[in-house]
Amino acid sequence: MENQKTGSKEGSVENKFDYDVVLLDIEGTTTPISFVKDVLFPYARDNVRAFLEKSWGTDQCQEDVKALRNQAEKDKDMEDVVLIPDEEENLSQDNSWTSKETIMDAVVANVIWQMNSDQKQLP
């Protein structure tokens, strides 16, 4: 049944804001910290490569990889940080080519390093 005042169906919530995602800090807030460590981190570890393979060609994925690369560069003095090569940068430096697979491997390793190091990054 439709609500006469809002034109929306009963029980539904009308989105009057211009956003696609709501990101919440759930660790210890809405769920136990152990859930993040025992469930979410293993899920991310097991699926980050498949996610990258599926979305690599999208603008959003490339923006995220660039952000990870920039953050890794800022973190370069931290122990065991994994830097993410840039295909274009390498071409201009030594005429070698960094493959998509090599870059993807570095992104996966960097994401795992961030989880293992309990890194907190702002968007």
Side-chain angles (χ1 to χ4, degrees), residues 59-77:
D59 291 341
Q60 183 62 59
C61 184
Q62 291 306 304
E63 288 175 31
D64 293 341
V65 169
K66 183 178 179 180
L68 287 169
R69 181 180 295 118
N70 292 340
Q71 186 61 52
E73 190 60 35
K74 289 177 189 174
D75 295 339
K76 68 183 174 187
D77 294 328

Side-chain angles (χ1 to χ4, degrees), residues 40-108:
L40 296 181
F41 281 1
Y43 178 84
R45 279 186 192 91
D46 292 346
N47 291 284
V48 66
R49 168 148 317 261
F51 171 80
L52 289 171
E53 288 172 353
K54 180 179 177 185
S55 60
W56 189 260
T58 67
D59 291 341
Q60 183 62 59
C61 184
Q62 291 306 304
E63 288 175 31
D64 293 341
V65 169
K66 183 178 179 180
L68 287 169
R69 181 180 295 118
N70 292 340
Q71 186 61 52
E73 190 60 35
K74 289 177 189 174
D75 295 339
K76 68 183 174 187
D77 294 328
M78 294 181 74
E79 186 176 342
D80 297 326
V81 67
V82 179
L83 298 177
I84 301 170
D86 183 336
E87 186 177 279
E88 294 174 13
E89 187 176 296
N90 284 347
L91 280 171
S92 66
Q93 287 181 3
D94 62 9
N95 292 326
S96 65
W97 180 69
T98 303
S99 73
K100 173 178 124 177
E101 303 309 319
T102 300
I103 296 170
M104 211 178 280
D105 288 344
V107 171
V108 170

